[in-house]
Amino acid sequence: MTIEVTLGQEPEAVRALREKLVAEGVPAALAAGDPGLWGPEARAEAATRLGWLNLPLTSRELLPEITKLVEMARAEGLDHIVLAGMGGSSLAPEVICATEDVPLTVLDTTDPGQVRRALNDRLDRTLVVVASKSGGTIETDSHRRIYEKAFRDAGIDPADRIVVVTDPGSPLEQTAIDSGYQVVLADPNVGGRYSALSAFGLVPSALAGADVGRLLDDAAAVVRRLAENDGNPGLDLGVLLGAEALAGRDKLVLRDSMTDINGLPDWIEQLIAESTGKSGKGILPVVGAEAAEADDQFLVHIGPDGGTSVDGPLGAQFLVWEYATAIAGRVLGIDPFNQPNVAESKENTTRILQEAGDGPLPTGTPFLTDGPVEIYGDVPGDPKNLADVLTALLRAIPERGYLAIMAYLDREAAFDAARVGDASFEELTEAWAAADPATLRALLDYRTDHAVTFGWGPRFLHSTGQFHKGGPQSGVFLQITGAVTEDVEVPGKPYTLGRLQLAQALGDFGALASRGRPAVRLHLTDRVAGVKHLLSVAEEL
């Protein structure tokens, strides 16, 4: 099966831009890995970040090693695969496994409840993939330490249960060697968000049961077309993304249509937001919206739907969206391979933890409390309750702006709260939605024509977090944190997961507030009651 990009009614600006890029020789130059396509300042970075173009071929060299890992896991009866990774190390495997309907537990969180749930699930049959390109990701390092202790406490040698995926020469590689862990080295010339077809995407997916050979086959089938001037799906899509952004339509609404692929918009969100959201420019993907409602939005369907759509197998989708993002970066005049603002929140988190020592974190004083919800920050007007706060935030969204909801909570807790015995699937789904903080996105989206996004913290810090701080300064930010009743220690570190999670929220809140945009933090003193109250208030706006 091939991949096709359908542009619907193609505007003249799109045709003109495509002709310009073709005249400049861009399609062939990108396919050949020319690092000069994004200007002299980006050349050095691009020279070490274009390996993704060759992954459909080069990643095949990993297949024998991966096959041995899979055979080992099956022989040992290890059927609970846990992936500890963030951003590019977690989003692609999550999509691959959801699409192939094979179980994979993804830990891209510092929420104690979510980590504890994974720890309590079949530890005797668990294999953990610790994946980090840099080898120093604080969340992944914490997961590794926690699982090492859990295995030892259960009388299990961690060396029999941990597989490491990292870049050559990273601190994590040395830690793995010292600990006797099996190590799979990834291509160092591939950035994290372009790593879907590298070891980061393939190793955990194959261990979970996905056919990664077919994934590479589907990607390889489109490689030749990416060097062509006509019938080039990556060029067509990239030109569309760039032309729409230049025309002021910089909110990309992604909608799943009739396709076997599950969850691809979440992966695209990270790829595009982190690649383009810098220098005051960027394209903001919006996941979950039904349609493009305002004139700064445009809609792309994943699957064979009407209008503008991208239809094809998952491996080809990965490669085409990566190519298109690189094209859009050239059109916008930015480096699509760096992430200059991601470190800001990380540095704030480190500083907050160090300055607080053993004392309380600097949460400040709520200016308002509404039931189980404490409200912090700066809200326009004189709000009297939570409804006033939400209304004020919606009104504060500027023209061509957006509202970002960021929840530092357990993204699986709704499944626990929504258990209703022998209920039907429809009843279960309704109960789950009523307990899920992500439902807030749809409730607030219904009340504004502006784009509304939702991200789970801290995972969004590795994706849309770059756009929030480096992209157009037109965002309004609603952060949600929650009380921790049962924490998880991080062995060898002076903080718990709950303390780290709150420090990450406070660190990012400071980075957002410093930009002068409205930012509010809602702290749920009781998580279950707080989510219920928040959703009920939003529903009545």
Side-chain angles (χ1 to χ4, degrees), residues 257-280:
S257 300
M258 298 298 294
T259 172
D260 293 332
I261 298 174
N262 290 317
L264 186 60
D266 287 329
W267 175 83
I268 296 171
E269 179 184 51
Q270 188 221 5
L271 172 70
I272 293 181
E274 195 171 36
S275 296
T276 69
K278 58 201 70 169
S279 303

Side-chain angles (χ1 to χ4, degrees), residues 229-411:
N229 294 332
D230 297 314
N232 181 334
L235 177 64
D236 289 344
L237 181 58
V239 166
L240 173 71
L241 298 176
E244 293 284 17
L246 291 179
R249 290 179 289 274
D250 59 355
K251 315 297 188 307
L252 166 62
V253 178
L254 294 162
R255 186 176 182 187
D256 272 323
S257 300
M258 298 298 294
T259 172
D260 293 332
I261 298 174
N262 290 317
L264 186 60
D266 287 329
W267 175 83
I268 296 171
E269 179 184 51
Q270 188 221 5
L271 172 70
I272 293 181
E274 195 171 36
S275 296
T276 69
K278 58 201 70 169
S279 303
K281 307 174 184 179
I283 301 167
L284 178 65
V286 182
V287 178
E290 289 297 314
E293 298 178 314
D295 61 4
D296 63 342
Q297 303 171 22
F298 68 104
L299 177 64
V300 174
H301 295 269
I302 306 300
D305 211 311
T308 300
S309 63
V310 184
D311 183 33
L314 183 56
Q317 291 267 4
F318 282 144
L319 193 58
V320 165
W321 280 100
E322 289 165 349
Y323 184 105
T325 300
I327 290 287
R330 177 181 169 90
V331 171
L332 294 178
I334 53 92
D335 177 356
F337 306 112
N338 68 354
Q339 48 280 332
N341 303 102
V342 166
E344 184 176 353
S345 294
K346 296 179 183 178
E347 292 165 357
N348 285 355
T349 297
T350 300
R351 176 181 52 78
I352 287 170
L353 288 171
Q354 289 176 343
E355 292 180 355
D358 295 332
L361 297 180
T363 57
T365 303
F367 72 83
L368 185 65
T369 298
D370 188 328
V373 181
E374 295 177 341
I375 304 168
Y376 300 78
D378 183 17
V379 181
D382 184 24
K384 306 299 183 186
N385 51 41
L386 180 56
D388 289 350
V389 170
L390 296 178
T391 299
L393 286 176
L394 290 172
R395 289 175 177 170
I397 304 173
E399 184 179 1
R400 319 193 82 77
Y402 64 96
L403 171 66
I405 306 169
M406 306 157 293
Y408 288 79
L409 300 169
D410 179 350
R411 68 176 172 130

Side-chain angles (χ1 to χ4, degrees), residues 9-20 239 243:
Q9 293 183 338
E10 184 178 5
E12 177 59 34
V14 174
R15 288 193 292 272
L17 181 57
R18 184 193 293 106
E19 291 173 1
K20 178 177 182 293
V239 166

Side-chain angles (χ1 to χ4, degrees), residues 348 352 361-363 479 501-511 521:
N348 285 355
I352 287 170
L361 297 180
T363 57
Q479 186 185 86
Q501 182 185 42
L502 182 56
Q504 290 177 309
L506 296 176
D508 192 49
F509 191 86
R521 179 168 71 93

Side-chain angles (χ1 to χ4, degrees), residues 85-88 90-91 94-95 106-110 114 139 263 266-267 269-270 274 407-408 411 454-465 504:
M86 300 297 297
S90 65
L91 290 166
E94 190 168 72
V95 175
V106 176
L107 287 183
D108 52 1
T109 181
T110 45
Q114 195 169 331
E139 300 94 339
D266 287 329
W267 175 83
E269 179 184 51
Q270 188 221 5
E274 195 171 36
Y408 288 79
R411 68 176 172 130
F454 183 94
W456 293 103
R459 104 181 201 158
F460 80 87
L461 293 177
H462 299 257
S463 59
T464 52
Q504 290 177 309

